[in-house]
Amino acid sequence: MKVGAHESIAGGVYNAVDAQIEDGGNCGQIFTHSPQVWQDPNIGDEEAERFRELSADHDVGPWVIHSSYLVNLCTPKDDLRSKSIDSMQKEVDAAATLDIPFVNVHLGAHTGAGVDAGLDNAASALDELDVPEGVTVLVESDAGSGTKLGGDFEHLAAVLDRTDQDLDVCLDTAHAFAAGYDLSTPEAVEETLAAFDDVVGLDHLQCVHLNDSKHECGTNKDEHAHIGEGLIGEAGMDAFVNHPAIEDVPLVLETPHEDGRGFAWNIERVKELRAASPAE
């Protein structure tokens, strides 16, 4: 099973590999810089080489780069669109440098332009990218608040259909739950993954952000909880991580650090749920 967490690159991107190993993970996600500001990745050649070597030596991967929170592919505003495309280009280039196969991005918000126009904007913005060979952009499912797009599986499918890029998808369990896709029972997990397969296609599912939710299904509230401790709960998380469609998909945790528990506790919890499955 590939399971890991979103690790810090403080002190050098290679430190994320050591942190992942310490937490018991064998895949993971990073930001290449602070996600709250417009900033270019600043990763030197030696630093990148050390990251690649450590990842290979310890068999940690795949890794995912999560794009800046400021990126808005759906925006109708020319300046923000230009900044978003530029930021994404630098992220996919950084991914190639680090031998990271995926760059994850939220579609963003249409801010009044309308759903169709927002989806068109996102697809055309992605078409502007020169994505290096070996790198794939993943569009992430969203919690769906306000004018943000990506909460409906149809939004993800529409962007995949409208762009010329070979895109895939990252499904965030807390976001999907917040957007109204129930995952709290084995039956609900089966129904939601069947809906995803019907609308998007499970062949496009290349990563899962595995998070429990502090809020009820359909509230559009995005706040993550420890695995099995939120409103998705143990039964839902158990059914999800043991579903055949998820068996080979990398699971990346973005769970909180609170109550004396962090990534290591949550990674171990996922391993316990998988190990307890009768199929195992």
Side-chain angles (χ1 to χ4, degrees):
M1 175 173 59
K2 285 294 185 179
V3 58
H6 182 118
E7 300 288 2
S8 169
I9 66 165
V13 66
Y14 47 81
N15 286 331
V17 184
D18 291 331
Q20 195 67 258
I21 295 166
E22 187 173 339
D23 284 332
N26 58 7
C27 68
Q29 181 175 265
I30 59 170
F31 292 121
T32 61
H33 56 83
S34 169
Q36 309 285 0
V37 296
W38 293 114
Q39 186 177 337
D40 294 345
N42 184 24
I43 300 168
D45 290 343
E46 290 185 10
E47 187 180 347
E49 182 178 5
R50 189 170 173 187
F51 174 87
R52 295 192 302 266
E53 289 178 349
L54 278 172
S55 295
D57 289 347
H58 296 279
D59 194 24
V60 178
W63 286 95
V64 181
I65 289 176
H66 195 302
S67 64
S68 169
Y69 291 143
L70 300 182
V71 168
N72 186 348
L73 302 175
C74 294
T75 183
K77 301 174 182 176
D78 290 341
D79 182 54
L80 180 53
R81 175 185 170 88
S82 178
K83 287 182 177 179
S84 297
I85 293 169
D86 181 65
S87 178
M88 282 296 296
Q89 185 62 56
K90 290 182 170 64
E91 299 289 19
V92 296
D93 289 342
T97 299
L98 294 167
D99 282 348
I100 290 179
F102 302 118
V103 173
N104 181 75
V105 65
H106 297 271
L107 293 178
H110 67 71
T111 61
V115 172
D116 250 1
L119 295 172
D120 281 341
N121 290 342
S124 62
L126 289 163
D127 282 342
E128 295 285 327
L129 300 178
D130 181 12
V131 181
E133 185 177 353
V135 177
T136 301
V137 175
L138 306 180
V139 290
E140 181 180 344
S141 64
D142 200 272
S145 61
T147 66
K148 289 181 181 178
L149 300 181
D152 295 344
F153 292 161
E154 287 79 7
H155 296 167
L156 305 175
V159 172
L160 266 61
D161 183 59
R162 297 180 194 191
T163 182
D164 293 328
Q165 299 281 8
D166 290 326
L167 304 178
D168 283 315
V169 172
C170 173
L171 177 67
D172 186 305
T173 52
H175 293 174
F177 190 70
Y181 295 98
D182 193 7
L183 292 165
S184 62
T185 67
E187 296 78 15
V189 168
E190 188 68 44
E191 184 177 333
T192 291
L193 287 176
F196 182 92
D197 191 26
D198 184 55
V199 175
V200 181
L202 284 165
D203 56 317
H204 284 295
L205 183 59
Q206 295 298 321
C207 180
V208 165
H209 284 169
L210 191 70
N211 303 299
D212 212 324
S213 174
K214 291 187 178 181
H215 301 282
E216 296 280 359
C217 183
T219 58
N220 302 122
K221 293 182 178 179
D222 176 19
E223 193 174 2
H224 300 173
H226 293 306
I227 300 299
E229 303 277 306
L231 276 298
I232 293 176
E234 184 175 333
M237 280 291 166
D238 189 344
F240 186 88
V241 301
N242 287 299
H243 194 284
I246 304 302
E247 184 176 6
D248 297 322
V249 179
L251 308 175
V252 177
L253 305 179
E254 300 170 322
T255 45
H257 291 263
E258 59 188 18
D259 307 321
R261 292 174 288 183
F263 288 145
W265 185 92
N266 283 278
I267 289 172
E268 183 59 30
R269 188 75 185 98
V270 175
K271 291 178 180 179
E272 290 170 355
L273 290 174
R274 179 68 73 89
S277 168
E280 294 292 315

